[in-house]
Amino acid sequence: MSGVNRQIRLARRPVGEVRDEDWEHGAEPRGVAGAGQFVGRTRVVSLDPAMRGWLDDRPSYLPPVGIGEVMRAGSVVEVVESAHPEFKVGDHVVGTFGVQEYVVSDGKGALRVDPSLAPLSTYLGALGMPGMTAYFGLLEVGALKEGETVVVSGAAGAVGTMVGQIAKVKGCRVVGIAGGPEKCALLTDELGFDAAIDYRTEDVRKALRTHVPDGIDVYFDNVGGEILDAALTRLAMRARVVVCGAISQYNNETAVQGPSNYLSLLVRRARMEGFVVFDYARRYAEASREIAGWIADGRIKVKEHVVDGTLDDFPATFRMLFRGENTGKLVLRLP
């Protein structure tokens, strides 16, 4: 089958906020399925804060995206041609296929999903990497126990909404930190958080003293910077700080701001631990089954921000992550 595969490639390393000129809108002939391969047409592209780190040429848990390479991203594709025994035409498959209209895959790292059971976007959100991140970060790294107090920053994002709701399922008190009254109202009125702090209008340290008078048992950090520093002042004895991300620092043009209140870890006999969700890949099926059950019985509500557009809308949609313009999981849905 002939055709053109339109792609978004990295044109240059961004400095600070990613700009339109950092991307190249390219095209190449669409590939064909060789033996043991399938061709998939992209239906939904995932946009995640971690993608910003993949653009920098520095040591990390994954190699950086190379100049001229297709931007790395999770996506769901529909199989349109197949010479693979496990994937047939019409199947929907999730994987790290990149920001492009078509992909040729041998099926490694790919998982067939059922759009009759959940929207395709959900396989990139609550049942995808953000859901896995929340599940393993909170329950394994955070070692959550029933009755504890959890504070999560970036609480209205893809991971944060899941962290808070999983903590409530586990019988904990949950306080979310988010930006703006609408997001804070979503957390408390719809998602069941016990309290929400608007970092844009409130003094976070003062608000934490009000909402967690006995201290934080698990702080799930998605933003870093000043909010992490504020949370460290409110740790309970033997607290766990889960370092998931630091979105407030990703576009820095100067050195990353580290925590100045780290001695609280010593005083409170607490620990701070970072993690990468890929380390738990062998257990994704376990987490997916449990999360799917919580969704089915109404204990977890899926929050998604779906942008309908074309590949040309990727750069502007990506910037939404760092301007606080999305609520829940952000995806770009292609025609």
Side-chain angles (χ1 to χ4, degrees):
M1 298 176 67
S2 61
V4 174
N5 179 26
R6 299 176 65 248
Q7 303 171 323
I8 300 295
R9 305 170 184 152
L10 182 63
R12 66 180 190 182
R13 301 278 174 212
V15 177
E17 182 172 291
V18 182
R19 297 170 172 81
D20 287 344
E21 52 266 35
D22 297 326
W23 305 110
E24 173 192 354
H25 297 247
E28 64 180 21
R30 207 197 81 178
V32 297
Q37 295 180 323
F38 67 83
V39 176
R41 181 177 179 179
T42 302
R43 293 303 186 188
V44 188
V45 177
S46 177
L47 295 103
D48 301 282
M51 295 165 71
R52 177 61 182 85
W54 301 343
L55 304 180
D56 295 329
D57 189 8
R58 60 186 179 190
S60 187
Y61 58 89
L62 286 175
V65 176
I67 302 299
E69 291 183 354
V70 174
M71 178 58 194
R72 181 188 297 137
S75 62
V76 179
V77 304
E78 180 180 354
V79 177
V80 295
E81 178 188 343
S82 182
H84 195 293
E86 296 181 14
F87 299 94
K88 65 181 185 297
V89 172
D91 283 348
H92 290 83
V93 183
V94 63
T96 307
F97 297 126
V99 187
Q100 55 186 335
E101 287 186 330
Y102 291 94
V103 61
V104 178
S105 173
D106 62 5
K108 291 181 180 178
L111 176 68
R112 189 168 52 249
V113 297
D114 189 344
S116 69
L117 299 179
L120 295 180
S121 52
T122 303
Y123 292 107
L124 296 172
L127 296 176
M129 187 175 68
M132 303 301 102
T133 300
Y135 183 95
F136 291 109
L138 184 63
L139 302 183
E140 295 291 327
V141 182
L144 187 68
K145 304 179 186 67
E146 183 178 358
E148 291 190 319
T149 295
V150 175
V151 174
V152 54
S153 59
V159 174
T161 54
M162 292 296 294
V163 168
Q165 292 186 91
I166 292 172
K168 290 303 298 181
V169 168
K170 296 296 184 178
C172 296
R173 173 175 170 77
V174 180
V175 177
I177 303 173
E182 295 83 6
K183 290 184 177 182
C184 288
L186 165 75
L187 298 179
T188 55
D189 299 348
E190 186 173 344
L191 302 186
F193 285 52
D194 296 284
I197 298 169
D198 184 350
Y199 72 84
R200 292 179 179 171
T201 61
E202 297 183 69
D203 181 321
V204 174
R205 292 194 189 197
K206 182 177 180 181
L208 286 172
R209 288 196 296 270
T210 299
H211 294 299
V212 290
D214 297 323
I216 303 168
D217 296 300
V218 177
Y219 175 58
F220 197 105
D221 186 36
N222 289 304
V223 303
E226 294 179 358
I227 293 178
L228 169 59
D229 237 358
L232 289 175
T233 68
R234 297 300 306 159
L235 298 182
M237 192 67 71
R238 307 292 179 187
R240 287 83 68 201
V241 177
V242 180
V243 181
C244 176
I247 195 170
S248 72
Q249 305 295 300
Y250 289 163
N251 287 330
N252 277 12
E253 297 184 33
T254 57
V256 169
Q257 176 186 340
S260 60
N261 292 325
Y262 76 94
L263 285 179
S264 295
L265 299 169
L266 184 157
V267 174
R268 308 308 293 175
R269 287 73 150 181
R271 65 173 171 86
M272 179 185 294
E273 182 176 350
F275 77 105
V276 176
V277 68
F278 304 135
D279 294 341
Y280 296 90
R282 293 184 178 180
R283 296 177 57 192
Y284 284 176
E286 163 198 335
S288 293
R289 285 193 297 270
E290 190 157 24
I291 292 172
W294 293 332
I295 294 172
D297 65 20
R299 286 191 285 175
I300 283 185
K301 297 180 180 179
V302 175
K303 300 305 300 181
E304 297 175 347
H305 192 133
V306 178
V307 175
D308 287 303
T310 68
L311 284 187
D312 290 336
D313 297 305
F314 174 81
T317 308
F318 184 69
R319 285 194 293 270
M320 292 174 63
L321 288 167
F322 306 96
R323 297 175 176 176
E325 296 174 0
N326 65 296
T327 299
K329 173 61 188 166
L330 179 63
V331 299
L332 175 61
R333 184 165 57 194
L334 305 183

